[in-house]
Amino acid sequence: MKKTSFLIPIVVILGAALLSSIFVVDEREKALVLRFGQIKQVRVEPGIGFKVPLIDEVARFEDRILSLQTPVIEVTPADDRRLRVDAFVLYRIDDVVQYRQAVGSGGEARAANDLSGILESQIRAVLGSQGVTSNIILSPQRSALMDQIRKQSDTRANALGLAVVDVRLGRTNLPEQNFDATLRRMIAERDREATDERARGREAAQRVTALADRTFEEIISEARRDARIIEGEADAERNRIFAEAYSKDQEFFEFYRSLAAYEESLKGNNTSMVMSPDSEFFNYLRSDEGRRSEEGARN
């Protein structure tokens, strides 16, 4: 009886010690076993772990993706148009040892504060870099800027044991005091761009018109050249035909030429001619007897 009463407290103490030496790591977390502030174990996989009772303590850290909303900051792009910007960030604890050493007892609140500072500096650096204007920030190209911010922030966040998973720019507005001035500047820029576009359009139209005029002149010149060639060939063919006709029947050819001369000379209603009646021009207008007698007299 005395032995039993003596063993029960011992068993209870041993059971309590055994239970206190066991800890469970959930699949949603990572854990460190600390002894007097020093890291003794690193548990990144879910399961059961053991520690020294009353001496070791277990520090647990989220293994899930965490979110952070940065405060609104003002940035100045390359076109000096100030913008108010904030960002939504997804991150996770990647290296629990580095994380513990970097944030100490500050925990998640200190890590979020440090990460927010990193993001603010990288947002200012990327959006304020050379060549990045407010139009680019407000265009679909902002996705490339967000990826650049994420990469640069991730590089610096590694010192905290954190990995930046994604960065999304949220609000991108103009400050109230700069809205009117910025609006006027935007209108002036658009007017200048429109003027430049119209000037380029007029220049292009002049080039097209000049090309069309040159092509027109070339076509007309070629057509006139071809027409002269054809006319020359036609005249040559006509002269050949006339020559053949003249060689076959000289009298008929002279008769035909005289009729053509009569037709050309007697055109119109007011044609007047002053010529001698016995002129050879009227040779074929006389009767055959008169013409034969004249030819006989000449012979």
Side-chain angles (χ1 to χ4, degrees):
M1 188 67 180
K2 291 182 179 180
K3 290 182 179 181
T4 302
S5 61
F6 178 74
L7 291 175
I8 289 176
I10 296 176
V11 172
V12 172
I13 293 172
L14 291 175
L18 179 61
L19 291 176
S20 63
S21 66
I22 299 174
F23 65 94
V24 178
V25 178
D26 191 85
E27 64 272 7
R28 296 167 296 179
E29 61 185 11
K30 299 177 182 179
L32 293 177
V33 177
L34 306 176
R35 183 177 302 167
F36 306 115
Q38 300 297 319
I39 299 174
K40 294 301 181 181
Q41 294 183 45
V42 179
R43 300 300 303 267
V44 295
E45 298 294 336
I48 298 175
F50 299 91
K51 62 183 181 65
V52 178
L54 305 177
I55 298 177
D56 295 344
E57 62 175 331
V58 179
R60 301 177 185 274
F61 306 93
E62 281 284 353
D63 195 30
R64 294 175 292 183
I65 292 178
L66 305 173
S67 63
L68 173 66
Q69 181 74 41
T70 65
V72 178
I73 61 174
E74 288 192 3
V75 297
T76 305
D79 55 357
D80 294 330
R81 186 183 300 166
R82 298 178 64 85
L83 298 174
R84 291 173 59 85
V85 179
D86 63 1
F88 180 76
V89 185
L90 298 178
Y91 70 99
R92 62 190 300 269
I93 300 172
D94 187 55
D95 188 337
V96 289
V97 176
Q98 183 70 26
Y99 178 80
R100 172 70 182 186
Q101 293 173 349
V103 303
S105 59
E108 188 176 329
R110 179 178 173 182
N113 184 67
D114 292 345
L115 181 59
S116 179
I118 291 173
L119 285 162
E120 288 181 21
S121 64
Q122 296 309 310
I123 290 173
R124 293 182 189 276
V126 173
L127 300 188
S129 59
Q130 185 176 5
V132 178
T133 64
S134 56
N135 290 336
I136 293 177
I137 297 173
L138 297 173
S139 72
Q141 293 178 266
R142 65 188 284 142
S143 59
L145 298 176
M146 291 187 291
D147 188 57
Q148 186 177 353
I149 294 171
R150 185 197 65 78
K151 291 179 179 179
Q152 296 184 8
S153 300
D154 182 63
T155 300
R156 295 192 58 185
N158 288 339
L160 300 176
L162 301 176
V164 179
V165 178
D166 194 14
V167 175
R168 294 292 165 183
L169 294 177
R171 181 187 315 177
T172 309
N173 298 330
L174 295 169
E176 292 295 334
Q177 63 272 22
N178 296 339
F179 182 80
D180 292 338
T182 303
L183 182 60
R184 288 193 296 269
R185 183 185 303 174
M186 291 175 64
I187 294 174
E189 289 178 356
R190 296 299 179 273
D191 288 341
R192 183 176 65 253
E193 292 176 0
T195 301
D196 293 341
E197 288 294 333
R198 283 193 290 268
R200 285 192 288 270
R202 286 192 293 268
E203 182 180 355
Q206 291 174 358
R207 288 197 299 268
V208 172
T209 302
L211 179 60
D213 291 342
R214 185 178 64 187
T215 304
F216 171 78
E217 293 297 332
E218 291 176 352
I219 294 174
I220 292 297
S221 299
E222 292 177 358
R224 288 173 179 171
R225 181 197 63 195
D226 295 341
R228 285 194 292 269
I229 292 174
I230 294 172
E231 288 176 356
E233 293 175 350
D235 290 340
E237 181 67 13
R238 182 192 62 184
N239 293 334
R240 186 186 65 77
I241 294 173
F242 278 142
E244 290 180 358
Y246 181 79
S247 62
K248 290 181 178 181
D249 191 339
Q250 180 178 358
E251 184 179 357
F252 175 77
F253 183 76
E254 290 178 354
F255 175 71
Y256 174 78
R257 293 294 297 271
S258 297
L259 292 180
Y262 296 156
E263 181 182 6
E264 184 68 23
S265 301
L266 300 177
K267 282 182 178 179
N269 299 324
N270 299 320
T271 301
S272 299
M273 299 180 64
V274 179
M275 299 182 66
S276 173
D278 58 353
S279 173
E280 293 183 1
F281 183 75
F282 298 110
N283 190 27
Y284 287 97
L285 294 179
R286 300 188 185 95
S287 64
D288 291 341
E289 294 180 357
R291 183 161 55 84
R292 281 195 297 269
S293 63
E294 288 183 1
E295 291 178 352
R298 284 198 300 271
N299 293 331

